[in-house]
Amino acid sequence: MAITLVDVKTYLRVDFDYDDGLLNQCIAATESYLENAISDFKTNLTDTDFQNEVDILRLAIISEMYRNRDARGDSRQSWPYYIRSMITQLQNFTAAGGST
């Protein structure tokens, strides 16, 4: 299941509408990022285990984008470890055996 704006706002505990445009951009950017970062992304989405991991990863990435959108002079060069780790697991996913 692809996540919705409602899912994202619930996860982020956002109860106002004025950031909806930004959140929709974060959703689209996250989807594009994951499609490019993970081989066979669309094919593997048919697997429930893969899909469940991706949904949590989507929310985590969107949260990072949203919460750190105005960080200036931020020295971070990559995603936090837990996001990098989940991406790596999904890059090595095989439908027959699940994550490796």
Side-chain angles (χ1 to χ4, degrees):
M1 139 186 137
I3 58 171
T4 65
L5 179 61
V6 172
D7 297 329
V8 170
K9 289 174 78 170
T10 299
Y11 183 80
L12 295 174
R13 297 182 182 145
V14 171
D15 59 358
F16 47 83
D17 297 332
Y18 57 84
D19 275 349
D20 285 3
L22 173 62
L23 291 172
N24 278 319
Q25 286 179 321
C26 290
I27 292 168
T30 297
E31 198 66 19
S32 177
Y33 177 79
L34 292 174
E35 285 179 20
N36 290 310
I38 300 170
S39 299
D40 300 322
F41 181 78
K42 288 185 178 182
T43 302
N44 286 332
L45 280 175
T46 59
D47 185 279
T48 304
D49 290 337
F50 184 88
Q51 190 175 70
N52 290 336
E53 285 187 54
V54 166
D55 285 346
I56 290 298
L57 180 56
R58 285 174 172 135
L59 292 169
I61 291 172
I62 292 166
S63 177
E64 282 293 314
M65 288 178 174
Y66 182 72
R67 295 179 197 274
N68 296 304
R69 67 190 176 275
D70 59 358
R72 296 183 186 168
D74 192 1
S75 62
R76 290 181 298 176
Q77 297 296 314
S78 64
W79 298 113
Y81 173 78
Y82 70 97
I83 289 176
R84 287 181 288 134
S85 176
M86 290 181 78
I87 290 170
T88 300
Q89 287 177 344
L90 292 171
Q91 288 171 331
N92 295 312
F93 184 87
T94 56
S99 294
T100 56

